Amino acid sequence: MGDNVIYPAEAIEAHRAFIARRRALRPNGHDLPTSDNLIARIAEAECEGWLGEVEGLRVSLSGAEEKIAQLDARQERRSSKVFLGVPSCDQIGARTAVSPDHESTPGA
């Protein structure tokens, strides 16, 4: 399939460290602000009359909800089975049938 390449140990360790740093930077549910916290902060800002703060927190809440939905969708895709398109016997038979616009010659 491909060439076998021998990389120096330093390059392999640097790549492993890069992967570990990248995985550590991935957001998880604990890193995102919770909706309850943002809703409470919006309510407080409304009571205090901080209109600019209310608007900013609503934008943050919308972004947090969107990000949580994206993470949930990604997790659902990862946990669901993937159909690879392997045809069933019925589908194979349907593919080998002669279409009406192609005439077959007898005895061929």
Side-chain angles (χ1 to χ4, degrees):
M1 272 281 177
D3 297 327
N4 291 331
V5 180
I6 300 173
Y7 291 99
E10 301 86 33
I12 294 170
E13 289 305 315
H15 181 70
R16 287 181 178 159
F18 165 76
I19 296 296
R21 283 191 309 272
R22 194 175 81 183
R23 286 184 179 150
L25 293 175
R26 284 187 188 160
N28 59 33
H30 302 292
D31 296 338
L32 297 173
T34 63
S35 300
D36 295 337
N37 181 27
L38 287 171
I39 291 170
R41 290 173 60 193
I42 290 170
E44 178 188 6
E46 287 174 339
C47 288
E48 296 295 332
W50 302 331
L51 300 180
E53 187 73 10
V54 170
E55 183 62 29
L57 290 169
R58 284 186 178 152
V59 169
S60 295
L61 178 60
S62 174
E65 288 172 343
E66 183 178 331
K67 187 64 178 180
I68 289 170
Q70 289 173 355
L71 291 173
D72 288 344
R74 183 171 70 178
Q75 184 62 32
E76 188 176 318
R77 281 193 309 271
R78 286 183 176 176
S79 64
S80 65
K81 295 180 180 179
V82 176
F83 178 67
L84 298 176
V86 179
S88 67
C89 292
D90 297 342
Q91 293 169 329
I92 293 171
R95 289 183 183 173
T96 58
V98 177
S99 63
D101 53 16
H102 289 88
E103 296 179 8
S104 62
T105 55

